[in-house]
Amino acid sequence: MKKILLAIIAAAALATGCSSPLTAEQRAADKARRELVDSVANALASARLDSCTFLIPARSLQIGSGRVNSVTNEVTNFICARSGNAMFQLAPNHSIRSGANGLGGITLEGTLTLRKHSVDRRGNRQWEYSMGTSLGVCRILVDLPARSAQARVNVQGAFTSGSFTITGPVEPYDRSSVAVGRSL
């Protein structure tokens, strides 16, 4: 699928040209190509979330109702799922303190169950998962806007009544692209 997306993007880049201003027809064709690429990326992200086989690296992280942590490392902050099992890991501090997982944060593994999937009239999708961990059950809400592959994931109840939210692209499950700490 990545090859198809790259081919579409390359064709769009070659077709637009760089030497002269774009005509109205070229702008319309360029817009149609961008919409097609966004549509394909959204469909792939939706399929990954439906099958519970995904990796969402955190491009932004918000803990509780606090502000967004802009220094997020995608390798150590993520949520992933595969074959009914899921893991999320937070390592927001880049400090000397090691944290529970050895990376300055926490890693939890558990069993993932899809509870509900809905689509609103604009095409925005939401998945509600339940994840049983060693610390109890947490609720995971994933919002995927229409024509986007960028998801917003809110995890509630993993740490008493607190929550955290990450935002990032929905990617294929591949644990080789993340650093996993010790799980509780």
Side-chain angles (χ1 to χ4, degrees), residues 9 12 16 40 47 153-154 184:
I9 292 169
T16 58
V40 169
V153 182
N154 181 265
L184 293 178

Side-chain angles (χ1 to χ4, degrees), residues 1-17:
M1 291 296 175
K2 282 187 178 181
K3 290 181 181 180
I4 294 171
L5 286 175
L6 290 175
I8 292 170
I9 292 169
L14 291 173
T16 58

Side-chain angles (χ1 to χ4, degrees), residues 5-123:
L5 286 175
L6 290 175
I8 292 170
I9 292 169
L14 291 173
T16 58
C18 298
S19 59
S20 62
L22 298 177
T23 65
E25 291 172 352
Q26 289 171 326
R27 283 192 301 273
D30 189 43
K31 181 180 177 185
R33 280 192 275 309
R34 280 193 312 267
E35 288 175 355
L36 177 64
V37 169
D38 292 343
S39 176
V40 169
N42 182 268
L44 290 171
S46 294
R48 291 177 186 129
L49 291 165
D50 283 338
S51 67
C52 296
T53 305
F54 58 85
L55 168 69
I56 303 174
R59 295 229 170 121
S60 69
L61 169 64
Q62 179 179 353
I63 298 175
S65 59
R67 64 182 189 134
V68 174
N69 180 355
S70 61
V71 188
T72 302
N73 184 346
E74 295 179 22
V75 173
T76 59
N77 295 278
F78 61 87
I79 184 166
C80 63
R82 181 173 163 186
S83 302
N85 295 314
M87 173 189 297
F88 64 80
Q89 178 172 281
L90 296 178
N93 298 329
H94 302 289
S95 65
I96 300 171
R97 292 179 279 138
S98 64
N101 63 0
L103 297 171
I106 188 166
T107 303
L108 282 178
E109 292 184 83
T111 305
L112 190 70
T113 306
L114 178 61
R115 294 286 182 204
K116 188 170 42 169
H117 173 239
S118 60
V119 182
D120 70 13
R121 60 188 168 108
R122 292 186 178 139

Side-chain angles (χ1 to χ4, degrees), residues 124-179:
N124 301 315
R125 297 175 179 269
Q126 184 177 65
W127 288 263
E128 180 180 341
Y129 301 98
S130 176
M131 182 175 160
T133 71
S134 60
L135 296 179
V137 177
C138 59
R139 181 177 174 219
I140 301 172
L141 297 172
V142 180
D143 293 314
L144 184 68
R147 295 178 297 280
S148 175
Q150 297 289 320
R152 182 178 178 271
V153 182
N154 181 265
V155 179
Q156 303 169 348
F159 315 105
T160 63
S161 62
S163 69
F164 69 90
T165 303
I166 65 171
T167 305
V170 180
E171 298 177 353
Y173 178 87
D174 181 9
R175 290 180 70 168
S176 65
S177 64
V178 295

